């Protein structure tokens, strides 16, 4: 690993802004394959995490955003203290495309992330929660 950035912050609108800025900096500094799409995916994941904490009614709840950089790619982990994405929803996502939810009120974010990033994984955490981990390759230097 070349570098790791790890940040934990209160799950609110300010966190979304700060994480967005960090994603922009990471995309630029570490020369990901498509900086704009990388930032969009991270932004969407952070918004989902903040909403999960707010839905859980945790006023002082937090999210964490971690960047892990290797010579080949940048991995981003987003974790929240909310209820997490249920296993059945993750399973449904495996069988859906963006066209399936194009006109739906919600549900596009995770599919966007899956389409944008090179790899998307769900890592089991304590208490049955799942942490979203996504990767994008770096430009060859």
């Amino acid at each position: 690993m070349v570098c790791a950035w790890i940040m934990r912050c209160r799950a609110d609108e300010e966190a979304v802004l700060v994480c967005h800025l960090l994603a922009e900096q990471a995309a630029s500094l570490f020369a990901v394959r498509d900086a704009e799409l990388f930032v969009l995916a991270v932004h969407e994941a952070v918004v989902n995490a903040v909403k999960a904490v707010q839905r859980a009614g945790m006023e002082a709840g937090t999210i964490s955003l971690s960047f892990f950089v290797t010579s080949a790619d940048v991995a981003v982990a987003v974790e929240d203290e909310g209820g997490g994405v249920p296993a059945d929803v993750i399973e449904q996502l495996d069988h859906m495309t963006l066209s399936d939810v194009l006109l739906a009120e919600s549900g596009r974010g995770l599919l966007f992330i899956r389409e944008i990033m090179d790899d998307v994984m769900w890592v089991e955490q304590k208490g049955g929660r799942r942490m979203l981990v996504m990767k994008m390759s770096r430009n060859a230097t």
Side-chain angles (χ1 to χ4, degrees), residues 11-106:
D12 58 19
E13 292 76 24
E14 190 173 274
V16 174
L17 295 173
V18 170
C19 291
H20 185 92
L21 290 172
L22 283 174
E24 288 178 330
Q25 292 304 308
S28 176
L29 286 170
F30 305 121
V32 294
R33 176 181 42 81
D34 190 323
E36 289 179 2
L37 289 177
F38 177 86
V39 173
L40 175 63
V42 173
H43 180 90
E44 186 62 35
V46 169
V47 167
N48 287 348
V50 168
K51 286 181 180 178
V53 171
Q54 291 173 345
R55 275 193 306 271
M58 303 175 72
E59 278 190 41
T62 63
I63 63 165
S64 65
L65 176 67
S66 306
F67 296 90
F68 303 97
V69 183
T70 69
S71 59
D73 58 38
V74 177
V76 182
V78 179
E79 183 177 13
D80 63 69
E81 294 179 336
V85 178
D88 62 326
V89 171
I90 293 170
E91 187 175 317
Q92 288 174 0
L93 288 172
D94 287 341
H95 306 289
M96 297 174 79
T97 65
L98 282 173
S99 63
D100 293 328
V101 293
L102 196 56
L103 300 176
E105 191 171 312
S106 64

Side-chain angles (χ1 to χ4, degrees), residues 90-137:
I90 293 170
E91 187 175 317
Q92 288 174 0
L93 288 172
D94 287 341
H95 306 289
M96 297 174 79
T97 65
L98 282 173
S99 63
D100 293 328
V101 293
L102 196 56
L103 300 176
E105 191 171 312
S106 64
R108 290 180 296 276
L110 293 172
L111 290 173
F112 267 142
I113 292 168
R114 190 180 72 197
E115 293 296 319
I116 289 170
M117 301 302 268
D118 296 328
D119 194 14
V120 177
M121 302 164 270
W122 297 94
V123 178
E124 289 288 327
Q125 299 296 95
K126 292 179 183 176
R129 292 193 333 248
R130 285 155 208 87
M131 174 176 57
L132 175 63
V133 179
M134 49 195 167
K135 292 182 181 180
M136 183 177 280
S137 62

